[in-house]
Amino acid sequence: MARGGTKRRGRKRREVAALTQLPWRALRNPYAPIEVLSAEQIEAIHDTSMQILEEIGMDFLHPEAREILGRAGAEVEPGSERVRFDRGLIEEAVGHAPAEFTLHARNPAHDLTIGGNHVNFATVGSAVNASDLAGGRRDGNYNDFCDLIRLAQFFNTVHLLGGYPVEPIDLPPETRHLDATLAFVTLSDKAYHGYSLGRRRILDVIEMTRIARGIDDDRLAREPSLYSVINTSSPLRLDAPMIEGIIEMARRNQPVVVTPFTLAGAMSPVTLAGALAQQNAEALATLALAQLVNPGAPVVYGGFTSNVDMKSGAPAFGTPEYTRAAFAGGQLARRYGLPYRSSNANAANLVDAQAAYESEMSLWGAVMGHANLVLHGAGWMEGGLTASFEKFILDVELLQMMAELLRPIEVNEATLGFEAIREVQPGGHFFGAAHTLERYETAFYAPLISDWRNYETWEESGAESATQRAHKIYRRVLAEFEPPPLDPAVKEELEAFVARRTEEGGVAAA
Amino acid sequence: MARGGTKRRGRKRREVAALTQLPWRALRNPYAPIEVLSAEQIEAIHDTSMQILEEIGMDFLHPEAREILGRAGAEVEPGSERVRFDRGLIEEAVGHAPAEFTLHARNPAHDLTIGGNHVNFATVGSAVNASDLAGGRRDGNYNDFCDLIRLAQFFNTVHLLGGYPVEPIDLPPETRHLDATLAFVTLSDKAYHGYSLGRRRILDVIEMTRIARGIDDDRLAREPSLYSVINTSSPLRLDAPMIEGIIEMARRNQPVVVTPFTLAGAMSPVTLAGALAQQNAEALATLALAQLVNPGAPVVYGGFTSNVDMKSGAPAFGTPEYTRAAFAGGQLARRYGLPYRSSNANAANLVDAQAAYESEMSLWGAVMGHANLVLHGAGWMEGGLTASFEKFILDVELLQMMAELLRPIEVNEATLGFEAIREVQPGGHFFGAAHTLERYETAFYAPLISDWRNYETWEESGAESATQRAHKIYRRVLAEFEPPPLDPAVKEELEAFVARRTEEGGVAAA
């Protein structure tokens, strides 16, 4: 959108410019994290997770992982996938992981710091349906996939792309990762995700990322540029495709985000303490594998502990249990000096009040748990089954509000405003004061969809809901979208790679 | 509802019982408050507020207040309403206020502790319209007023009644306070509010409160049983009816909740630091008046700093500025050792996603700012103009989630669940584990309106929004409502008081 164009294009750009949003900004959390567990309780959870790994162990469903772990001193049960770990081995391996790293984007302005008090928001990932008010709920598809990338590129408070924001089911599975990654790179210049669906796929995505950044293998290994989420198959299993992803990513110094899916009462104990102990065991054992492959490789400790509805077994998100687990997960990650990942989750079927309050509960848990990486930040619905365009816009509003919440209050002689108060005097008003006029245009957060007009004005102008306003905004952004610049030589090289790999048949189904 | 009844009544009670809600519980906040200001910044705001009171002063629009303040050493400008205060006078007077007190209800089980880390949620107060999905938006009226009291009485996580939840405009203003207070006492046994609308009205309500509790004046003075919200007319004015309320309430040792309405950019400087300095000046000068009337009288420091939409001048709530001001207000209240009041506010016109996310932002500000009294906790819409029945239910869901969020995570050998994890083994599931079966019925928060069913089931059963579900719940509660027991002698005495005062003409308009 920085390049010139026709008169028509120029006019359209101005209209988009009028859609006020926050500037791109590296967010840092100035607040102390909320801590729900005492230091003793953290140690009790740590001890139990170590006991789990020592006495029960974890199943690694790939011989290469068992070989790496066995070589490092873990006890591999003969003729079985079970591996047991001494706590010293876990702690030493995890101790190599960096507390902070840079995730590079192809546009250096969009590089991200993962760790410390940095906060980064990603889009929804891995939804199988897409939805909007006009088109309803439908199977994930390439068109919606691309539109979600466009929204992610447009909004400055979305810092990176998640998963596939929606699964492009209409693309053949053999070559889907190639086309999806090509879309990531051509429609956006932000950092993105590659799936650990076996060795060959992740290697293709790593190579495309190298080409997209225009760098060689050595530099790629020095500059993490692709991330991959690793989910354990809770309880206590790690599947083969994920293991291959960990090994290839770690070898090339690319970050894996290890996230056990410990739904209390289903895949983990019904008690939060038990679910957290199991989460911690699974996360640490998996992170240890990455560190044993390549000591010092960038990794992220992920927490996704939530609860199920015990009447139906349905997963729930943004519950009080979820939020407390998000705080606790942050405490555990900090216990090991690791960057922390959490999510903006909800289980609503409609972009309504429930979607908003469950997302708020999740986001407050993530941000005040000091998550460095907030996945599913924009667009996630129905416990992850659906990517909603209106929810995407709603979430950008929530993320922007969080970004503003993290801004310190400026306190100095000018902002304390004594002279303004003296000028206005008791009983006056500040609308016309010089102190106000000098600042009013930028003094406050300007919302995307919040409507603060009085009831009568709002009603006369159509009585739209926040969700209806979100619909209009997403359509407007897409209508005006122009992709970021991409070096034609890089584009050509990427397309040639995709063409060659497609001709080779991509990656055959396992 | 504890008494027996007909068979029909018995059946109805069981249906209400099936509406799961949290038990009545005194809430305490185990988390450290979120602090947005450094100690130095707090002192800078304190200093500026003292400078405001010393050099600019505040207008007290009642001679009795000026007399009390002048006698205590404040500088009353001759022939004017302006009063200037030495900071020593303010700090000494405010220093008498208790850090914590009990607010008594006519049912001792509903007594509340205001201060420390206690959290209490009140209903909406002072709305001029009522609204629900079936009847739309309408003028406040006695019928809706009573229905809102019934909801407040029914829900355990609503600890006290606010304002009038909606203004019963159809009652004559001369006797409205009598009929409204009688409704508070007969439909509810929780603590309630009296308006400081001049001396005679608040004295009537204090006397009715004494009768309702069945105690004498001395005991009433030992047991605060009625609270009154005092709003300053920002900037820096205190109106005569409010002053009379402060004087009569403080004399009888009943708590006033002093809340400046410092909308940044309108009634206070456009900068948060300036708005907070002015809030602090107004609150402390007004609290000092209460303490000079009766040193040690219970009081609450209220914060309501928010911002306006600088395009339209419309007030906004639940904004990032609002939330940070709520954190800062708590820090200021703690600076003076005072209980703190905040609110659950929003500016939405519809019970939609905006209403939910703005309320969440307000509630997190209140709870993590360590507010002891959260007014407008349930039902507030449109910046306070409307009390919504569906919003009331939605807010009870939010309040219940907050209550559960404040519960510590239990960490012990049983909850850490090592044996359950060993029993289930890697790759198993926990649905049938003994550890789960022993706990699943009470393990997790059971929501009021959150719907966690899958999309297909939800759609087949009517695809209702959270707001539509809230509508059904409020109707159901009202259909089944039975008032709490009330001693017939007390009721008779109250009715006789109301009859006598009505015959006398109530309180003529000023």
Side-chain angles (χ1 to χ4, degrees):
Chain A
M1 297 207 302
R3 290 169 304 174
T6 63
K7 199 177 169 186
R8 191 189 59 81
R9 216 184 247 174
R11 183 177 49 77
K12 280 196 177 179
R13 269 213 309 284
R14 272 199 305 280
E15 285 170 18
V16 174
L19 198 153
T20 308
Q21 65 163 318
L22 295 184
W24 172 273
R25 209 163 67 210
L27 299 181
R28 304 186 73 141
N29 192 337
Y31 301 113
I34 295 181
E35 306 211 319
V36 63
L37 297 169
S38 68
E40 294 71 28
Q41 290 177 319
I42 286 286
E43 286 316 295
I45 289 172
H46 166 78
D47 279 343
T48 302
S49 62
M50 292 300 110
Q51 194 189 358
I52 291 167
L53 293 178
E54 285 173 341
E55 299 182 26
I56 303 169
M58 178 158 162
D59 287 349
F60 287 78
L61 307 192
H62 196 294
E64 197 176 343
R66 298 195 294 275
E67 196 190 324
I68 293 166
L69 296 170
R71 223 166 33 223
E75 178 202 325
V76 180
E77 191 175 290
S80 146
E81 288 148 337
R82 185 69 48 92
V83 182
R84 293 185 183 80
F85 299 80
D86 179 80
R87 65 182 67 200
L89 167 59
I90 293 285
E91 295 206 63
E92 205 231 311
V94 170
H96 291 294
E100 184 174 310
F101 62 89
T102 300
L103 180 62
H104 293 259
R106 75 171 178 85
N107 177 354
H110 290 160
D111 288 356
L112 305 172
T113 307
I114 313 289
N117 66 353
H118 292 265
V119 191
N120 300 282
F121 298 127
T123 68
V124 54
S126 308
V128 293
N129 306 296
S131 138
D132 84 327
L133 284 184
R137 191 174 183 260
R138 59 226 178 220
D139 286 347
N141 59 82
Y142 183 66
N143 191 44
D144 286 325
F145 166 84
C146 290
D147 280 347
L148 287 163
I149 298 172
R150 292 181 178 104
L151 294 183
Q153 175 65 17
F154 177 81
F155 285 107
N156 295 320
T157 308
V158 174
H159 302 103
L160 72 170
L161 307 173
Y164 301 152
V166 73
E167 189 74 27
I169 295 171
D170 48 349
L171 298 182
E174 296 79 13
T175 52
R176 190 179 295 167
H177 63 294
L178 304 169
D179 296 318
T181 306
L182 187 61
F184 279 159
V185 175
T186 51
L187 296 174
S188 168
D189 61 11
K190 295 180 179 177
Y192 55 86
H193 172 263
Y195 282 100
S196 284
L197 288 171
R199 190 181 312 273
R200 191 61 247 209
R201 276 195 186 82
I202 197 72
L203 288 176
D204 281 342
V205 179
I206 292 171
E207 177 61 6
M208 288 182 73
T209 302
R210 187 195 63 74
I211 297 169
R213 290 210 52 223
I215 59 179
D216 63 16
D217 284 335
D218 283 352
R219 188 161 161 204
L220 185 72
R222 288 194 309 275
E223 297 183 352
S225 305
L226 175 74
Y227 76 104
S228 186
V229 171
I230 301 295
N231 291 122
T232 54
S233 289
S234 304
L236 294 166
R237 286 165 66 122
L238 189 59
D239 292 332
M242 290 284 170
I243 287 170
E244 293 187 353
I246 292 170
I247 292 171
E248 300 307 329
M249 287 286 283
R251 257 180 205 151
R252 286 158 188 82
N253 208 42
Q254 304 301 307
V256 291
V257 178
V258 174
T259 314
F261 188 33
T262 36
L263 267 182
M267 287 93 97
S268 75
V270 73
T271 46
L272 278 186
L276 288 164
Q278 186 189 309
Q279 166 189 300
N280 200 52
E282 295 179 8
L284 292 186
T286 308
L287 290 165
L289 173 60
Q291 294 304 314
L292 291 169
V293 170
N294 178 13
V299 293
V300 179
Y301 179 111
F304 214 122
T305 293
S306 194
N307 59 293
V308 295
D309 177 359
M310 291 311 294
K311 281 177 291 194
S312 66
F317 301 97
T319 62
E321 292 79 19
Y322 177 96
T323 307
R324 286 182 294 161
F327 296 154
Q331 291 186 259
L332 288 164
R334 289 190 294 281
R335 159 77 171 73
Y336 307 106
L338 297 169
Y340 177 47
R341 168 256 159 120
S342 188
S343 306
N344 172 10
N346 73 92
N349 290 306
L350 199 64
V351 185
D352 64 354
Q354 180 186 341
Y357 67 71
E358 289 183 346
S359 271
E360 280 282 358
M361 289 292 285
S362 299
L363 266 179
W364 277 89
V367 171
M368 290 313 301
H370 272 215
N372 306 109
L373 192 54
V374 181
L375 298 189
H376 308 305
W380 213 65
M381 291 291 296
E382 294 176 37
L385 290 177
T386 293
S388 154
F389 284 93
E390 289 86 11
K391 180 65 162 42
F392 194 108
I393 303 299
L394 167 62
D395 283 334
V396 172
E397 183 88 296
L398 304 190
L399 299 179
Q400 290 198 139
M401 288 170 81
M402 280 290 164
E404 287 292 288
L405 190 78
L406 300 180
R407 283 178 61 186
I409 296 178
E410 211 186 328
V411 181
N412 55 46
E413 197 180 324
T415 62
L416 283 163
F418 177 79
E419 289 307 328
I421 296 169
R422 170 138 66 189
E423 175 193 334
V424 167
Q425 284 288 304
H429 70 76
F430 289 78
F431 281 118
H435 188 263
T436 306
L437 295 176
E438 285 158 14
R439 293 171 175 82
Y440 82 93
E441 282 182 332
T442 56
F444 308 127
Y445 171 61
L448 277 180
I449 57 173
S450 289
D451 189 329
W452 297 333
R453 293 175 298 175
N454 68 39
Y455 186 88
E456 291 73 17
T457 310
W458 166 81
E459 195 177 35
E460 278 162 25
S461 71
E464 284 178 336
S465 70
T467 306
Q468 290 169 314
R469 296 192 293 274
H471 179 81
K472 288 187 175 169
I473 290 173
Y474 110 73
R475 297 281 283 246
R476 181 171 152 200
V477 171
L478 291 183
E480 313 291 341
F481 183 81
E482 289 182 46
L486 175 61
D487 181 337
V490 168
K491 189 168 186 223
E492 201 174 308
E493 192 178 348
L494 278 174
E495 284 169 347
F497 180 87
V498 170
R500 177 172 66 75
R501 291 285 300 118
T502 301
E503 204 173 321
E504 290 168 9
V507 180
Chain B
M1 296 206 303
R3 290 169 303 174
T6 64
K7 198 177 168 186
R8 190 190 59 81
R9 218 184 248 172
R11 181 178 49 77
K12 280 195 177 178
R13 271 212 308 285
R14 272 199 305 281
E15 285 171 17
V16 173
L19 198 153
T20 307
Q21 66 162 318
L22 295 184
W24 172 273
R25 209 163 67 208
L27 299 180
R28 303 186 74 141
N29 192 337
Y31 301 114
I34 296 181
E35 306 211 318
V36 63
L37 296 169
S38 68
E40 294 70 29
Q41 290 178 319
I42 287 286
E43 286 317 295
I45 289 172
H46 166 78
D47 279 342
T48 302
S49 61
M50 292 300 111
Q51 193 189 358
I52 291 168
L53 293 177
E54 286 173 340
E55 299 182 25
I56 303 171
M58 179 158 162
D59 288 349
F60 287 78
L61 308 192
H62 197 295
E64 196 175 345
R66 298 195 296 274
E67 196 190 326
I68 293 166
L69 296 170
R71 223 164 34 222
E75 178 202 327
V76 181
E77 192 174 290
S80 146
E81 289 147 336
R82 186 68 50 89
V83 182
R84 292 185 181 82
F85 300 80
D86 180 80
R87 66 182 66 200
L89 166 59
I90 293 285
E91 294 206 63
E92 206 232 309
V94 170
H96 291 295
E100 185 174 307
F101 62 89
T102 300
L103 179 63
H104 293 260
R106 75 172 178 85
N107 178 353
H110 289 159
D111 288 355
L112 306 171
T113 306
I114 312 290
N117 66 354
H118 292 266
V119 191
N120 300 282
F121 298 127
T123 68
V124 53
S126 309
V128 293
N129 306 296
S131 138
D132 84 326
L133 283 184
R137 190 176 184 257
R138 59 227 178 218
D139 285 347
N141 59 80
Y142 183 66
N143 190 45
D144 286 325
F145 168 83
C146 290
D147 280 347
L148 288 163
I149 298 172
R150 292 181 178 103
L151 294 183
Q153 176 64 17
F154 178 81
F155 285 107
N156 295 320
T157 308
V158 175
H159 302 104
L160 73 169
L161 307 172
Y164 302 154
V166 72
E167 189 74 25
I169 294 171
D170 48 350
L171 297 183
E174 296 80 13
T175 52
R176 190 179 294 165
H177 64 293
L178 303 169
D179 296 320
T181 305
L182 187 61
F184 279 159
V185 175
T186 51
L187 296 174
S188 168
D189 60 11
K190 295 181 178 176
Y192 55 86
H193 173 263
Y195 281 102
S196 285
L197 288 171
R199 190 181 312 273
R200 190 63 247 208
R201 275 194 186 82
I202 197 72
L203 287 177
D204 281 343
V205 179
I206 291 172
E207 176 61 7
M208 289 182 73
T209 302
R210 187 195 63 74
I211 298 170
R213 291 209 52 221
I215 59 179
D216 63 16
D217 284 335
D218 283 353
R219 187 160 163 207
L220 185 72
R222 288 194 309 273
E223 297 183 353
S225 304
L226 175 73
Y227 76 104
S228 186
V229 171
I230 301 295
N231 291 124
T232 53
S233 288
S234 304
L236 295 166
R237 286 164 66 123
L238 189 59
D239 292 332
M242 290 285 169
I243 287 171
E244 293 187 353
I246 293 171
I247 292 171
E248 299 308 328
M249 288 286 284
R251 259 181 203 151
R252 286 157 189 82
N253 209 42
Q254 304 302 305
V256 291
V257 178
V258 175
T259 316
F261 188 35
T262 35
L263 268 182
M267 286 93 96
S268 75
V270 74
T271 46
L272 278 187
L276 288 164
Q278 187 188 311
Q279 165 188 300
N280 200 53
E282 295 180 8
L284 292 187
T286 308
L287 290 166
L289 172 60
Q291 294 303 315
L292 290 170
V293 170
N294 178 13
V299 293
V300 179
Y301 179 111
F304 214 123
T305 293
S306 193
N307 59 293
V308 295
D309 177 359
M310 291 311 294
K311 280 178 291 193
S312 66
F317 302 97
T319 61
E321 291 80 18
Y322 178 97
T323 306
R324 286 182 293 161
F327 296 154
Q331 291 186 260
L332 288 165
R334 290 191 294 283
R335 159 77 171 72
Y336 307 107
L338 297 170
Y340 178 47
R341 168 257 160 117
S342 188
S343 307
N344 171 9
N346 73 93
N349 289 306
L350 200 64
V351 184
D352 63 353
Q354 181 187 339
Y357 67 71
E358 289 184 345
S359 271
E360 281 282 358
M361 289 292 284
S362 298
L363 266 178
W364 277 90
V367 171
M368 292 312 300
H370 271 217
N372 306 109
L373 191 54
V374 181
L375 298 188
H376 308 306
W380 213 67
M381 291 291 296
E382 294 177 37
L385 291 176
T386 293
S388 154
F389 284 92
E390 290 85 12
K391 180 64 161 43
F392 194 108
I393 303 299
L394 166 63
D395 283 333
V396 172
E397 183 87 298
L398 304 190
L399 298 179
Q400 290 197 141
M401 290 170 81
M402 280 290 163
E404 288 292 287
L405 189 77
L406 301 180
R407 284 179 61 187
I409 296 178
E410 212 185 329
V411 181
N412 55 47
E413 197 179 325
T415 61
L416 282 164
F418 177 79
E419 288 308 328
I421 296 169
R422 170 138 66 190
E423 174 193 334
V424 167
Q425 284 288 305
H429 69 77
F430 289 78
F431 282 117
H435 188 263
T436 306
L437 295 176
E438 285 159 15
R439 292 171 175 82
Y440 82 94
E441 282 182 330
T442 56
F444 307 127
Y445 171 61
L448 278 179
I449 57 173
S450 289
D451 189 330
W452 297 333
R453 294 174 298 177
N454 67 38
Y455 185 88
E456 292 72 17
T457 310
W458 166 80
E459 195 177 35
E460 277 162 26
S461 71
E464 284 178 336
S465 70
T467 306
Q468 289 169 314
R469 296 192 292 274
H471 180 80
K472 287 187 176 170
I473 290 173
Y474 110 73
R475 297 282 285 245
R476 181 171 151 199
V477 171
L478 291 184
E480 313 290 343
F481 183 80
E482 290 182 44
L486 175 62
D487 182 337
V490 168
K491 189 168 185 223
E492 202 173 307
E493 193 180 347
L494 278 174
E495 284 169 345
F497 179 86
V498 169
R500 178 171 66 76
R501 292 285 300 120
T502 301
E503 204 172 320
E504 291 167 5
V507 179

